[in-house]
Amino acid sequence: MKLSFALLTFVFFACFHFSKAQTITPFTAIWSFDGNLSGVSSSPNVVANAASVMGISIPNVGGFPNGQFGQAVNLRNWNDPNCGVNEYLEISVVPLNGGLLTLNKLSFYFSRSTNGPREIRVRHSLDNFASDIYIGAITAQSPPYQSQPITLSSTNPAFADNPNPISFRFYGCQADEGRGSMHLDEIVINAQILPVSLVSFTAKPQGDHVQISWETVQERNADCFEVQRSYDLGEFTTVGRIAAKGATDQHHYYGFTDQRPLDGANYYRLTQIDTDGQALHSKIVAVVMDEVTPSMEVLGNPIDGQMIRVAMRNMAKATFHLTSLAGHELPLASDTQSDGSMLLKPAQPLTQGIYLLRAELNGRQLIQKIVVR
């Protein structure tokens, strides 16, 4: 089975605004501390919560001195010289409408007074503030201010595709007890948000084809999905496009069949394109198409319990066994269909529940879970 040039020049029939030049437009969340603790997000799908303090104070007079840009926040009363976990300033970003946050970089400016903290530490909520993502000496006595960028998602996958709020805490350490200040200014988070909650993305062989399926739980401003394929994880080619629901809070299931997959390895990814042209890729899944690797896929799962239709590859003469979760085997009759799939009929209709279907051939065994509605 060879891929023809005609497939590589797949006809474009949707998402006309998408092109190779299209890039993801990042959003920013900024805490400028110009007279207040408010945060500002450039995305309508993300809230930048106002900063809060714990165990320290902001003086009524002089609470917002000159900063690197405009004003800064003056943090005083650092009573634990050993960087106590109960003294910090905290910021957070919150995704809306089921969006997925990917945080790329955190940057900020800092300085101290003469007796203020001589060290700054930063922690995050994804590990419950258990470890430092930055430890640095504070040498600047404002002005001027020191600056520090911290890379996030490229070094820690926990910061990618996160559906939950993410918080950061800034700790001042090694201060003269109860004296001096640490100043923070222009805290900036550079990030992106996927306004579709992608629950799953799978690709499985069915005979000579590959069936690609995905599920979303919520969509916001989604235009369409592109199914893209690569043979070497390098360049990806679009092999199909499916229109998105656009704006919905319901579960939706999508499917696409690659009629002409490549011999050998096929790598697939899903690209979601928004109405404003922004694009974001899913994880990559792999399918091997050869004359050796066996596969089995239950079609239309969940099923109604009357029939089980199964697509097989390199398991043409397999024997099938159906068991309940309690281990009871249930008799099956099998019949090969004209499209190469197998139609399995239980001796009696299956009741609602979960079953295990096992295919065996020459010592090989494949198992699929079956859900009966």
Side-chain angles (χ1 to χ4, degrees):
M1 176 170 46
K2 300 298 181 182
L3 183 66
S4 68
F5 181 75
L7 182 58
L8 292 175
T9 55
F10 193 90
V11 177
F12 289 76
F13 55 87
C15 306
F16 299 110
H17 56 265
F18 181 69
S19 68
K20 278 190 175 181
Q22 201 83 46
T23 58
I24 299 171
T25 302
F27 81 87
T28 55
I30 302 175
W31 292 261
S32 295
F33 302 117
D34 289 335
N36 59 67
L37 299 178
S38 298
V40 177
S41 169
S42 64
S43 170
N45 292 314
V46 180
V47 171
N49 281 342
S52 61
V53 295
M54 173 64 69
I56 54 177
S57 65
I58 301 171
N60 292 328
V61 178
F64 297 93
N66 290 334
Q68 183 70 23
F69 304 98
Q71 294 176 297
V73 63
N74 184 1
L75 306 172
R76 301 184 64 180
N77 298 327
W78 299 90
N79 292 306
D80 189 338
N82 297 317
C83 204
V85 295
N86 295 318
E87 297 180 353
Y88 55 81
L89 176 138
E90 180 174 320
I91 62 168
S92 60
V93 285
V94 182
L96 302 178
N97 305 318
L100 300 178
L101 283 175
T102 295
L103 305 190
N104 300 319
K105 185 174 71 173
L106 170 69
S107 60
F108 53 95
Y109 290 83
F110 56 96
S111 68
R112 65 177 175 88
S113 66
T114 302
N115 302 112
R118 293 167 176 80
E119 182 180 87
I120 184 172
R121 299 190 178 198
V122 182
R123 297 182 178 182
H124 60 86
S125 60
L126 296 182
D127 67 353
N128 199 28
F129 307 103
S131 59
D132 300 302
I133 59 173
Y134 176 73
I135 302 176
I138 308 176
T139 58
Q141 297 184 31
S142 57
Y145 279 67
Q146 297 169 245
S147 64
Q148 182 59 49
I150 302 173
T151 57
L152 298 174
S153 60
S154 63
T155 57
N156 186 343
F159 287 107
D161 296 334
N162 200 297
N164 301 311
I166 302 176
S167 301
F168 295 91
R169 290 178 180 174
F170 297 79
Y171 303 82
C173 313
Q174 301 177 23
D176 293 340
E177 187 173 350
R179 303 172 59 194
S181 300
M182 182 174 75
H183 300 159
L184 285 175
D185 191 19
E186 207 70 11
I187 300 176
V188 178
I189 294 175
N190 297 99
Q192 63 196 40
I193 186 168
L194 174 63
V196 171
S197 286
L198 188 65
V199 178
S200 64
F201 174 59
T202 60
K204 298 180 179 179
Q206 290 187 1
D208 291 335
H209 306 152
V210 174
Q211 182 63 41
I212 296 117
S213 304
W214 62 98
E215 177 189 358
T216 63
V217 65
Q218 290 179 323
E219 298 179 21
R220 290 293 182 272
N221 304 318
D223 187 12
C224 68
F225 299 95
E226 292 192 345
V227 178
Q228 298 178 334
R229 184 187 65 206
S230 173
Y231 69 92
D232 61 356
L233 294 175
E235 182 177 356
F236 279 81
T237 300
T238 298
V239 296
R241 290 179 175 81
I242 301 293
K245 299 302 179 182
T248 176
D249 294 322
Q250 304 300 316
H251 280 263
H252 287 283
Y253 300 88
Y254 298 86
F256 174 79
T257 302
D258 186 358
Q259 301 285 353
R260 297 184 178 87
L262 304 170
D263 289 334
N266 293 258
Y267 300 98
Y268 294 94
R269 72 183 183 190
L270 187 69
T271 297
Q272 178 232 317
I273 302 176
D274 293 344
T275 54
D276 61 0
Q278 297 186 39
L280 194 62
H281 305 306
S282 74
K283 67 178 182 179
I284 296 172
V285 296
V287 172
V288 177
M289 302 296 289
D290 56 32
E291 302 306 320
V292 177
T293 306
S295 67
M296 176 177 68
E297 175 70 9
V298 178
L299 306 179
N301 200 15
I303 64 173
D304 61 9
Q306 301 292 327
M307 295 284 185
I308 305 171
R309 188 163 173 254
V310 180
M312 307 293 297
R313 182 173 176 83
N314 301 326
M315 293 280 284
K317 297 181 180 181
T319 58
F320 296 90
H321 304 271
L322 182 67
T323 59
S324 67
L325 290 183
H328 301 300
E329 185 160 347
L330 307 172
L332 283 174
S334 62
D335 184 30
T336 303
Q337 303 299 291
S338 59
D339 62 358
S341 65
M342 297 295 298
L343 194 63
L344 309 177
K345 184 177 180 180
Q348 294 182 346
L350 302 176
T351 59
Q352 185 176 7
I354 298 175
Y355 300 82
L356 297 178
L357 179 65
R358 186 173 75 254
E360 295 180 345
L361 178 66
N362 298 331
R364 291 177 173 176
Q365 180 174 271
L366 298 175
I367 299 176
Q368 285 282 319
K369 180 174 69 175
I370 294 176
V371 179
V372 178
R373 293 176 292 196

